[in-house]
Amino acid sequence: MYKILVLEDDELFCDSLEDFLDDEGFDVDIANDGDECLELNYSKNYDLYIFDINVPKINGLDLLAQLRASQDLTPTIFLTSYKDKDTLHQGFKNGCDDYVKKPVDLDELLFRIKALLKRNNKSFEMIKLTANFTFDSQNRRLFENDSDVKLPMKVAELLQLFIEEKNNIVTKDMIVSRLWSVEEEYSEGSIRVYINQLKKILGKDFIINLKGIGYKVEF
């Protein structure tokens, strides 16, 4: 499932939004203030942020500026009741990708979520990798013909990264950033194990080793 972090202090709206996104197949975490949002961000990696602007402790504008300063480029949608152009301009200046005005039309929000994820190479369709293997990106599931291969979570996430970066070089830093949160430790050995697991399943030539640079997939 694509993981979404929501920053919103209106509990009633949060409940409605969480139920709606759950029903649409997303994995949703809710933070009611900026500090809680940062804590969740340190412990997990997300595919999308949905931030209200006017929230306690750290407002959405300042929070996104902090995240972008730390090289977190996760796509972000602002929810806002602000109508003045200065606030919207500041939102885009701080790094947001889109915004939806309150009161929120949930169907419109869903269209914008899917459009933004697709622009960031997140697919909602089955992806054909080889003659026998397809990958469900939204649910991180690999299928051999119609049988679920049941990949371990980090191996599935690594495959998702390779698919998103198809034909591009995937560096060790990109893998570490994607597979481990800020709070987690990683090992070089783990990366090699996960790479070899994918090669064993999909074929040794599916992932190309670029010595001293990284890895690449072409399909």
Side-chain angles (χ1 to χ4, degrees):
M1 294 184 178
Y2 291 129
K3 298 183 289 295
I4 298 178
L5 176 57
V6 176
L7 172 61
E8 173 60 65
D9 64 337
D10 182 330
E11 292 187 14
L12 184 60
F13 175 60
C14 275
D15 289 343
S16 298
L17 180 58
E18 185 174 15
D19 288 344
F20 177 76
L21 293 177
D22 280 343
D23 288 344
E24 293 296 331
F26 295 100
D27 181 4
V28 183
D29 285 335
I30 303 289
N32 298 126
D33 62 60
D35 285 349
E36 184 182 1
C37 192
L38 272 181
E39 289 177 9
L40 286 168
N41 178 265
Y42 285 136
S43 62
K44 291 178 67 174
N45 293 321
Y46 293 93
D47 299 292
L48 179 76
Y49 299 141
I50 299 176
F51 289 171
D52 189 8
I53 291 178
N54 189 21
V55 294
K57 296 186 179 179
I58 308 174
N59 68 53
L61 290 173
D62 291 342
L63 178 61
L64 185 59
Q66 287 185 37
L67 294 173
R68 293 295 188 252
S70 68
Q71 304 305 310
D72 184 340
L73 302 179
T74 303
T76 304
I77 298 174
F78 272 138
L79 305 180
T80 178
S81 55
Y82 288 97
K83 297 180 180 179
D84 63 283
K85 291 182 180 180
D86 288 343
T87 300
L88 296 177
H89 174 72
Q90 191 62 47
F92 283 104
K93 185 177 178 181
N94 287 13
C96 85
D97 300 274
D98 201 355
Y99 72 93
V100 176
K101 289 186 178 180
K102 291 184 172 182
V104 174
D105 181 313
L106 293 178
D107 289 328
E108 177 189 351
L109 177 61
L110 180 62
F111 296 150
R112 291 177 181 271
I113 288 171
K114 288 188 173 182
L116 186 50
L117 288 172
K118 286 178 180 178
R119 287 203 299 273
N120 284 269
N121 300 318
K122 311 283 188 182
S123 176
F124 289 86
E125 309 295 334
M126 296 293 288
I127 299 169
K128 193 171 185 64
L129 303 179
T130 70
N132 298 322
F133 288 95
T134 55
F135 188 67
D136 176 355
S137 286
Q138 187 172 7
N139 295 298
R140 306 294 201 272
R141 295 173 68 186
L142 178 67
F143 294 90
E144 183 176 12
N145 299 317
D146 292 324
S147 299
D148 192 340
V149 177
K150 300 188 186 310
L151 293 178
M153 182 178 65
K154 285 195 184 313
V155 177
E157 193 66 44
L158 178 60
L159 180 55
Q160 172 72 21
L161 173 61
F162 280 128
I163 290 169
E164 290 173 13
E165 298 296 334
K166 175 185 174 184
N167 300 324
N168 296 322
I169 294 172
V170 175
T171 66
K172 183 195 78 173
D173 288 343
M174 291 169 66
I175 294 173
V176 171
S177 176
R178 184 61 169 268
L179 267 59
W180 287 274
S181 70
V182 175
E183 294 180 341
E184 292 180 304
E185 293 185 2
Y186 75 94
S187 70
E188 300 280 351
S190 295
I191 295 175
R192 289 192 293 271
V193 167
Y194 299 152
I195 294 285
N196 288 333
Q197 281 184 266
L198 288 177
K199 285 186 173 183
K200 185 175 180 180
I201 295 168
L202 296 167
K204 62 182 179 63
D205 296 327
F206 183 78
I207 299 173
I208 304 167
N209 285 33
L210 303 171
K211 191 172 182 180
I213 300 174
Y215 306 89
K216 190 176 184 181
V217 299
E218 298 173 340
F219 58 89

